[in-house]
Amino acid sequence: MTPPNTSLGKALLANAFLTFSLAACLMPTSSHAQPTSGAAATAASTATNPLLAPWSGPYGGVPAFDKVKVEQFKPALEAAMAENLREIDVIAGNKQAPTFDNTIAALERAGERLDEVRTVYGIWSGTLSSPDVQAIEREMSPRMAAFADQINQNEPLFRRVEAVYNSPAKKQLTPEQQRLTWVYYNNFVRAGAKLDATAKSRLSAINQRLAGLFTRFSQNVLADETDSVLVLKSPAEMSGLPASLRDDAANAATARKLTAAGAITNTRSSIEPFLTYSDQRKLREKAWRMFYNRGDNGGVHDNNAIITQILQLRAERAKLLGYKTHAHWRLDNTMAKTPEAAMALMEEVWTPAVARVKQEVADMQALAKKEGAPADFKIEPWDYRYYAEKVRKARYDLDQNEVKQYLQLDKMREGMFWVAGELFNFNFTPVTDVPVYHPDVKVWEVKDKTTGKHVGLWYFDPYARPGKRSGAWMNAYRNQQRMDGKEVATIVSNNSNFVKGKEGQPVLISWTDASTLFHEFGHALHGLSSNVTYPTLAGTSVVRDYVEFPSQLLENWLPTPQVLNRFALHYQTGKPIPQALVDRIEKASTFNQGFETTEFLASALIDMKLHLAGDQKIDPDKFERETLAQLGMPREIVMRHRTPQFSHVFSSDGYSAGYYSYLWSVVLAADAFSAFTEAGGPYDKAVGQRLTKYVFSVGNTVDPAEAYRKFRGRDPKIDALMKERGFPMTAKKTTKAPAKAPVKKGVGKKS
């Protein structure tokens, strides 16, 4: 998925409770953060708290990760909030008539210190989450939400923004300035700026309560991921696992100081390979239950009651803001515009996906019977990946483990760099002159290959560890901008959860993991390609169902011969992947798409239906069970993200009623890649230049539907997606984008 962008941007001061970060650290709060003696207090704080010092050093300044101490976060957030409030008071209290420069641009200039503190705080929350960090989160998240609302509900400030928005002089502004003005005004209105005092008070109470619940939800999932492990007591319990997975399991046991042959940690990158290869069915079931029951085990870390409360509060908030449901409020600010439009797309794909699952299950049942399974044997969810892999091997002579031997993590990273050079003219050079927050993190400088101009920095945090949330995601530590004639380069990061190997040994990853790596790198390239004036409109700051489009699109370059021949090299011989194996991968490209599509869509449909249910009190487990039955969910599959661990939806508002956006973006990506294949191929220079000009570089300076039309010459069609997945076409072929699509700030994660 991509979450999250911790450099949230100045416009979100007017829309803060809509945003998300690594651990529900949305926005700071003011009622506990009043300045003691103005600028003098801030100066004193800066001297004693390095988090409050401006980023310094090379590349336009970098985070001082080497100086961070957990106990500094709370006072730093409080001091930065106090400073930001003073900045806001100056803007709101300006006696001059409101103009773009003294109101909108002034808001863009405000909050720099807070952005920087919150960025570092978000990194610790998401990747170094100790009990001390979690205690700070529990205290500060409601305060951050209250702070956001103090700005959202600042009447004099909103009146100034509204005056600029309604002023005839707006026509004299540049298109980007007009877009920015609209973003500020729209965000204020959606955050309740036009409500009366009583409604505003209740809205703020809801936002504070939600912020606390988001934090508890996230911490509960993390606890189940960190504390649970499947111990493999003997080599016999690793039966069926290829050598690389045996090594990973042994390394995990060593890292956890377990006296055992191996250990399977409770993360997707560890669980899914075990479910694919282990021939110990009882252990597969244990691993499956451990992973899919996160947040659903009763006790102190159970999330069901929290979900019920979140849904009730979201429904109440939507009504306060004048919307029928939370889903209607959320989608009003997207390309889809309405829940009905999103549901129509999902339902169009759901039927052929489920039909394909039935075929896949029949194939697996036949193979199991052929191998001597009992007459009453039925494929269970913990069997699906295991037997699917057997069918793949039998039908296509394709063993995923054979493919994995050619997919070294470091080589795949080099392949991504090469693609970035071909498509975006970027060059990546490792640097060691910047501090990092963990020894596993490495940093590269990005330059334009032709001019040598500095573009930004790319941080890479590839490995799983206790205290790091699962999945893969991209962050923007700092957004690109050039306000007031000053060029500011971006800083972005990619984060994964691969199992770290022994020193000197290559880390081998699956084809799916390699695709995810390219996906998240697509988000990073979206940020690095940004070429705008105002930070709020930069990079990945686009609507939720558009932000995944560039990242989904980049996955298409992994299987290109140019990448595979150069970078898919055998970890022992160094020889490139054989063409015969590549051909088998291509022939099997639509294999198992029923499973892949159905497990995703089940999560997206449950998400949408939960938020269309309005204010009815929901038992999450019961709702999930009954709704899936109504949808005709195959019993052999579960949702990719079951409700009690659905962090995309319940650790923040980020993807709530918005998980469908991955499918929406996949439609765009499949259609967009067809522009390359219809021209000179994946590296066609003319199409690549259009892609950069109209998609990757413009951020949110233009309406995304308009931007897509400029790139493609028309609205997107669903044909390419259906063909890509091997599904039959229906009569409905075009995903019609609205004439105008409002925006939402954020970035995604895939997990």
Side-chain angles (χ1 to χ4, degrees), residues 263-407:
I264 304 300
T265 56
N266 204 14
T267 63
R268 191 175 297 279
S269 57
S270 186
I271 292 290
E272 288 188 354
F274 184 79
L275 294 176
T276 302
Y277 292 106
S278 173
D279 57 21
Q280 302 296 301
R281 194 180 191 214
K282 289 184 178 179
L283 290 178
R284 289 205 308 269
E285 182 179 356
K286 285 183 70 174
W288 181 89
R289 292 190 183 282
M290 178 176 73
F291 186 67
Y292 284 97
N293 286 339
R294 290 168 298 151
D296 197 24
N297 294 303
V300 295
H301 299 310
D302 191 276
N303 274 331
N304 283 283
I306 292 174
I307 292 168
T308 300
Q309 295 176 66
I310 289 174
L311 291 171
Q312 292 284 117
L313 290 166
R314 281 174 171 166
E316 182 184 355
R317 180 175 64 187
K319 285 189 174 181
L320 275 174
L321 292 168
Y323 291 86
K324 182 179 178 181
T325 69
H326 178 78
H328 288 84
W329 174 61
R330 291 287 290 147
L331 271 78
D332 180 55
N333 206 27
T334 63
M335 286 187 76
K337 292 294 287 178
T338 67
E340 291 76 19
M343 286 293 294
L345 175 62
M346 289 191 282
E347 288 167 354
E348 186 172 0
V349 179
W350 175 259
T351 300
V354 171
R356 177 61 61 82
V357 168
K358 292 178 181 177
Q359 297 172 10
E360 292 171 0
V361 171
D363 291 340
M364 291 187 287
Q365 287 282 173
L367 186 143
K369 182 178 180 180
K370 185 178 178 180
E371 290 187 342
D376 62 348
F377 178 84
K378 289 185 178 180
I379 298 292
E380 299 290 348
W382 46 89
D383 299 320
Y384 208 107
R385 284 184 169 83
Y386 179 73
Y387 281 101
E389 186 62 21
K390 284 177 171 284
V391 172
R392 188 199 316 266
K393 190 171 182 180
R395 180 172 298 171
Y396 299 102
D397 190 25
L398 182 62
D399 183 346
Q400 289 289 71
N401 188 56
E402 180 184 2
V403 177
K404 190 174 182 179
Q405 297 178 62
Y406 293 91
L407 303 179

